[in-house]
Amino acid sequence: MDELPIPNRKLIEFNPGLAGKSTSILSSRGCPFQCRFCTFSIVMGRKWRPRSVKNVVEEIELLKDQKYKDIAFIDDNFTLNKKRTFRLCAEIKRNQLDNLRYVGDCRVENATFDMLRALVTAHFIQMVFGIESGTQRILDYYNKGITLAQIKQAVKNANKTRLEIIYGSFVLGAPSETLSEVRDTIKFANKLSITIPIFQILYANPISPIYRELVEKGQYIPQKDDWKKVFKIPDISPTSIPTKVLMRLLEEGVNQIVSKRRVIHHLFKALKYKYYVDTIVASIIKRKLKRVESIGQHQFP
Ligand code: SF4
């Protein structure tokens, strides 16, 4: 992996936005797991191939020189090897690269307090957990290889490290998922102390195990141009809850989650962090500048 060249980001025009320039980085490829809805391990391979920590740090140094502020690790399975994650965090600190902000993701069974603390110390401000479901039966169906207890523990650990933003992603619409299981997942998300829950309808393309399973069971007849499509599973599975119903449940669920109490709680939590305060201040300044510009234009047409 180290032999691959570092991407030349100068070829791309970036819009720095309010909080500065941001980009993504790939520090490894592949994932040994085989979650039923995911094609990463099929497309990128089940063998996990990391770049060396030294090589990754060299790229981050380059990004710092190019004035990037936010870096998102978009590996298939970024923290698979805990020892490497610890080493990467230590090298980020040692090379004084912890004044950049980082984003990453982590499987919940790997999200120990010590590893999350190392990530926070290296200035990871945001981690995404693939939680997927609030019921063990559906987690097992997805072949996710995690338990509800591990999810709760990961979120607890993340909160203890004072990680700024905890995303939890959920997938709804498995072929045998019942209405009460969907409701249980929404309730579960609501009870977890995560900053932002992301709900998605279950999608799959023709190389995914779920699509193949539907075809093998005779529940979906493949069409010749399927290869260029991505399907919402509820649209092609006769046993799934229809997308419309899921969307309605989601709307209700999101309304519950985004209750006033929760918004106020997160607002106070957010104000503790420089990142949010910087963003809010930058936004106010930008608005004021716009007003000054428009007054200026008015005065000197
Ligand atoms: S969902 Fe994550 S852990 Fe599961 S196969 Fe895909 S990349 Fe691997």
Side-chain angles (χ1 to χ4, degrees), residues 41 97 176 221 299:
S41 56
L97 297 168
S176 68
I221 299 164
Q299 285 176 332

Side-chain angles (χ1 to χ4, degrees), residues 199-254:
F199 290 101
Q200 299 172 66
I201 302 289
L202 177 58
Y203 276 88
N205 64 24
I207 59 166
S208 72
I210 289 191
Y211 173 95
R212 281 189 270 131
E213 175 190 306
L214 292 177
V215 172
E216 274 158 27
K217 284 184 178 166
Q219 293 179 334
Y220 175 72
I221 299 164
Q223 309 295 312
K224 75 171 184 322
D225 60 350
D226 278 2
W227 62 273
K228 52 183 170 185
K229 292 185 186 160
V230 178
F231 298 93
K232 277 189 197 131
I233 287 296
D235 292 348
I236 61 168
S237 160
T239 57
S240 284
I241 300 167
T243 305
K244 259 191 188 169
V245 179
L246 286 173
M247 293 306 290
R248 208 180 53 236
L249 285 169
L250 266 184
E251 252 173 54
E252 287 168 22
V254 170

Side-chain angles (χ1 to χ4, degrees), residues 31-35 37-41 76-77 107 132 144:
C31 175
F33 293 91
Q34 287 185 295
C35 302
F37 52 82
C38 179
T39 52
F40 287 173
S41 56
D76 305 314
N77 198 329
R107 278 181 57 92
E132 327 304 1
K144 186 72 193 177

Side-chain angles (χ1 to χ4, degrees), residues 99-262:
N99 49 0
L100 276 69
R101 292 181 290 251
Y102 303 95
V103 170
D105 55 31
C106 185
R107 278 181 57 92
V108 294
E109 82 279 17
N110 233 9
T112 58
F113 172 73
D114 286 348
M115 193 182 72
L116 292 172
R117 188 176 53 184
L119 288 161
V120 169
T121 309
H123 210 194
F124 275 75
I125 60 160
Q126 179 179 313
M127 290 299 286
V128 185
F129 293 132
I131 297 174
E132 327 304 1
S133 177
T135 72
Q136 192 60 51
R137 189 184 80 82
I138 295 297
L139 283 175
D140 294 344
Y141 167 74
Y142 285 150
N143 202 22
K144 186 72 193 177
I146 58 172
T147 64
L148 294 178
Q150 286 171 326
I151 295 171
K152 289 181 197 160
Q153 188 59 49
V155 173
K156 198 171 163 191
N157 292 343
N159 277 298
K160 244 165 84 183
T161 61
R162 292 172 55 82
L163 184 66
E164 292 185 26
I165 309 171
I166 309 167
Y167 275 98
S169 85
F170 297 86
V171 188
L172 302 175
S176 68
E177 196 170 18
T178 64
L179 270 177
S180 83
E181 284 172 329
V182 171
R183 288 202 176 98
D184 285 348
T185 292
I186 295 171
K187 267 190 227 153
F188 184 73
N190 199 3
K191 277 196 191 147
L192 279 179
S193 193
I194 49 179
T195 326
I196 301 172
I198 312 162
F199 290 101
Q200 299 172 66
I201 302 289
L202 177 58
Y203 276 88
N205 64 24
I207 59 166
S208 72
I210 289 191
Y211 173 95
R212 281 189 270 131
E213 175 190 306
L214 292 177
V215 172
E216 274 158 27
K217 284 184 178 166
Q219 293 179 334
Y220 175 72
I221 299 164
Q223 309 295 312
K224 75 171 184 322
D225 60 350
D226 278 2
W227 62 273
K228 52 183 170 185
K229 292 185 186 160
V230 178
F231 298 93
K232 277 189 197 131
I233 287 296
D235 292 348
I236 61 168
S237 160
T239 57
S240 284
I241 300 167
T243 305
K244 259 191 188 169
V245 179
L246 286 173
M247 293 306 290
R248 208 180 53 236
L249 285 169
L250 266 184
E251 252 173 54
E252 287 168 22
V254 170
N255 284 341
Q256 280 169 27
I257 289 169
V258 189
S259 65
K260 267 191 202 147
R261 189 178 57 80
R262 204 176 164 103

